[in-house]
Amino acid sequence: MIYLDNSATTRPAPEVVQAVTQVLTEDFGNPSALYRVGLDAEKILKAAREEVAKSLECKPAEVTFTSCGTESNNTVLKGVWKSRKRQGKRIITTSVEHPAILRVCEELERDGADVVYLPVNADGSFNMDAFDAALNSDTILVSVMYVNNESGAVMPIKELAAKVHAQGNGCLMHTDAVQAYGKLNCSVKELGVDFLSLSGHKVHGPKGVGALYIRSGIHIPAFLLGGGQEAAFRSGTENMPGIAGLGAAAKLLNANWKNNAAKMAETRAYLKERILAEIPDVKINSPENAAPSVLNVSFIGCRAEVLLHQLEGDEIYISTGSACSSKKKGSHVLTAMHLRPEEIEGAIRFSFCADNTKEQMDTVVEKLKFYTSSQRRLRKAFHK
Ligand code: PLP
């Protein structure tokens, strides 16, 4: 199998499987319990929080475990709106965010928020002029993704956080770092953000677990009320298998992320080069500054969905868009980048992890050459 859909989800690392299994079979206690099995679970919880905090260069107390990246994003947007809507109505985001931001913004708009959806440049990169024009004293939150899940565009989070805080009106800065975590530097000290969302299953951790960084001193309302877990901010008995797995993934990432990112960058560059050199009528949709994990390419005159299934026949897995939108028609990201309909129709996202190799890319290119030329030939014959 050649798995190139790592932005949709990743294969759990053996260390993650081990940590999850340990919690499911041996250390199954409730971390709130006062006896030994409970205390053991509490230790696992603490260790996992410390690993995630280390990966973000923050204090463990600033890390809240959630059920996913989606929950982390919902918590920030709804929490900031609820607690600050009397101070200002404007929320600034981009038109290329994940639906876990966009759908929430739409709900907040129905409650009176003035949401600005910034356009992006034609290559998917951040449009700073539009941002500068939108940021005003009425802005309470800026939420911009760190890496776009379809184009791989890296957004200038550090610069944005500096501008947001220079406003001096208490405006807060959130980044959805789900696609950046493990690929780029996610030190919150470095970035200067107030909130950061991440997700376990994008970094070889389990599904159904995420985390949210909230800078100490910032208070937003609790998302789930109940037994008071997660410092009463996110009640519910902790998802210990998930949290232990995320802790194990964060530990691996703390040791290896730079090497892993360099490997991904190399594989990506190799695939890009070979595609450009050997397959005609292609367009690279990812910007020059894209993350090492994503390469978006249009094979003009081909239907990406057909290519996906042809490659599937060879056990090569790619995506026609983000996992959540691939079952829907079109892509809001590629549309926002003003791609022509035929470019959108032929767009494929390759997304990498450190396990992908150049040999795998050789196979992928050979298959792509065959399937793109046969599709194009068939189409031409049909339209004669
Ligand atoms: N944000 C981005 C940028 C994503 O790519 C995803 C998932 O694809 C999410 C949020 C949602 O994360 P989760 O699947 O953990 O809810």
Side-chain angles (χ1 to χ4, degrees), residues 68-70 73 98 145 149 176 178-179 199 201-202:
C68 54
T70 299
N73 287 346
H98 189 270
M145 67 199 331
N149 46 305
D176 172 351
V178 166
Q179 296 291 349
S199 173
H201 73 108
K202 310 288 187 181

Side-chain angles (χ1 to χ4, degrees), residues 256-275:
N256 299 320
W257 81 264
K258 277 190 185 158
N259 280 341
N260 288 346
K263 275 191 208 162
M264 286 181 230
E266 220 174 281
T267 313
R268 180 187 186 278
Y270 182 74
L271 178 64
K272 181 179 164 185
E273 214 170 279
R274 281 206 61 185
I275 288 176

